[in-house]
Amino acid sequence: MITWRSGTVVRAGRSWPGAAELAVALDPHPDDAVPDGGDDPDAGADHGGGALGDGTVRALAYPALVGPVPSGAHVLLNVGALRRGLGTGGYALVVARTDAPVPDAPAGPGHLVKARYTPLQATVLGVDDPESPHHATLRDADDLAGMPVVVADLHSALPAVVAGARAEAALRGRRAPRVAYVLTDGGALPAWFSRTVAGLRDAGWLAACLTAGQAFGGDLEAVTVHTALLAARHVVGADLVVVAQGPGNLGTGTRWGFSGVAAGEAVNAAAVLGGRPVASLRVSGADTRDRHRGVSHHSLTAYGRVALAPADVVVPLLTGAPGVGDDLAARVLAQAAELVAPVGRHRRVDVAVGADDLAALAGSPVGLSTMGRGLEADPAAFLAVAAAGRHAVALLAGG
């Protein structure tokens, strides 16, 4: 059941394309003690919500859904995740204004309904809708023509993959690749939540974000990962694509109860469409949980059991990399061997990483944070996915 509160917007906070933070003073309620909200570990520490020191709560509004929300507006809030102190969804979320009617949006084309049959379902123009200018292009599209598709299970991998790809292109004297991002619906459904996407787009590192499945708010809307990949190739003109869930992955501490398992399904989608699946490994040298030390068990499950099509599994050669111990480097090699021939179905691709890669990662236009840890705290995590970006560009170069 949704936990409802109401309140008055007292001031605006940060904003980025599609989203606005607000400070909201709650109306009295019998159960109005609101605990601090946790930070979303995959969106970065400064994405979290919670109770503010002046007795207000931090709320998030998506103006494209609820209209403008100025100071003084009275709003209805969903505070369920905030009250439980969860990182995922841990803002108070603006559901609607209750002090004034919001004008209807201008009538427009499109019949894709996202977040279907929820109170906030939204109708959007799908990239392959009959009303879309791209319908003719996508009507019979069925081939990615070998386009590299880098798959990751965490949203935090996105900027590191792109940093690695751009570094490899510079090393080869090539132009920076045109990169599209397919945001799947395992995490945040609104692409607007991600300041990583907004920052990468502003910096020119990302050509487009495509939202697939129940996710929405991208530059282009797609019904499935398959249509998103085809649109990335044939509409965006991407050289390579990164596929990952949005911020706020869901996990239960079990093998199968993790939203990132869908990374294996993304490998299958890329392969069946004639793309070149590139599987990035989730690696950590700082996670205290043994199942996530070295190669995460989630990567082993997604690629070892869900992905039925062969992929290039990029194995980072971490020996000698700054901040990475030899024991961790050896552990990653041993764990990755479970996925690749002759034991597994995938192709092993070794990519050496080191100080130059760390410098490229440090130059990211957006902050790097995974599970609440930055580049210095867990360099192996970012080096591993940057290696996948480097390999994708090597494929473009025929390497």
Side-chain angles (χ1 to χ4, degrees):
M1 181 176 177
I2 294 174
T3 303
W4 303 102
R5 291 294 183 273
S6 60
T8 300
V9 177
V10 294
R11 64 180 179 275
R14 298 171 296 180
S15 64
W16 54 96
E21 284 187 351
L22 308 166
V24 178
L26 295 181
D27 296 335
H29 189 279
D31 302 316
D32 61 359
V34 180
D36 286 346
D39 290 329
D40 180 356
D42 294 311
D46 58 353
H47 244 128
L52 302 176
D54 56 4
T56 63
V57 295
R58 183 180 291 116
L60 192 67
Y62 300 118
L65 291 183
V66 301
V69 189
S71 293
H74 196 257
V75 293
L76 178 65
L77 301 169
N78 177 336
V79 299
L82 175 61
R83 282 180 55 80
R84 295 193 62 185
L86 301 179
T88 300
Y91 280 102
L93 296 169
V94 176
V95 178
R97 283 186 64 176
T98 57
D99 62 318
V102 177
D104 289 345
H111 74 279
L112 264 66
V113 180
K114 298 287 187 102
R116 290 188 285 275
Y117 299 103
T118 69
L120 285 179
Q121 67 179 15
T123 304
V124 300
L125 175 64
V127 67
D128 57 347
D129 252 331
E131 305 99 317
S132 167
H134 309 299
H135 178 73
T137 299
L138 294 174
R139 181 172 48 215
D140 298 316
D142 195 43
D143 190 3
L144 298 178
M147 180 180 66
V149 177
V150 181
V151 178
D153 73 355
L154 293 178
H155 184 69
S156 55
L158 174 62
V161 171
V162 182
R166 292 174 68 89
E168 183 69 19
L171 187 65
R172 292 173 177 264
R174 297 171 57 92
R175 65 170 176 82
R178 185 170 174 81
V179 181
Y181 169 47
V182 173
L183 187 153
T184 65
D185 55 14
L189 297 186
W192 306 311
F193 183 73
S194 174
R195 288 192 293 112
T196 293
V197 169
L200 291 175
R201 190 190 291 109
D202 287 347
W205 281 34
L206 199 62
C209 172
L210 301 94
T211 35
Q214 293 294 310
F216 57 90
D219 300 294
L220 296 170
E221 304 279 2
V223 179
T224 63
V225 171
H226 301 74
T227 53
L229 289 172
L230 289 167
R233 173 69 178 178
H234 297 285
V235 176
V236 178
D239 298 312
L240 66 91
V241 177
V242 182
V243 181
Q245 63 183 325
N249 72 92
L250 179 60
T252 61
T254 63
R255 174 178 293 134
W256 294 105
F258 172 62
S259 52
V261 166
E265 297 167 355
V267 166
N268 296 334
V272 77
L273 292 173
R276 184 70 177 261
V278 176
S280 69
L281 295 175
R282 177 176 169 182
V283 170
S284 178
D287 203 304
T288 58
R289 299 167 294 180
D290 187 68
R291 65 184 185 274
H292 292 301
R293 293 279 293 182
V295 178
S296 169
H297 74 115
H298 290 316
S299 287
L300 300 177
T301 299
Y303 302 137
R305 301 188 62 184
V306 180
L308 302 180
D312 293 353
V313 171
V314 179
V315 181
L317 303 181
L318 296 164
T319 301
V324 179
D326 290 345
D327 288 348
L328 176 64
R331 179 170 180 147
V332 168
L333 293 178
Q335 292 167 313
E338 300 178 27
L339 299 173
V340 298
V343 178
R345 65 175 56 88
H346 302 297
R347 300 174 292 267
R348 174 172 173 163
V349 178
D350 290 343
V351 176
V353 292
D356 290 344
D357 299 277
L358 286 176
L361 289 164
S364 168
V366 299
L368 300 179
S369 178
T370 185
M371 304 306 293
R373 295 181 291 269
L375 181 59
E376 291 187 2
D378 199 356
F382 302 100
L383 288 169
V385 288
R390 287 185 52 192
H391 174 60
V393 169
L395 291 174
L396 293 174

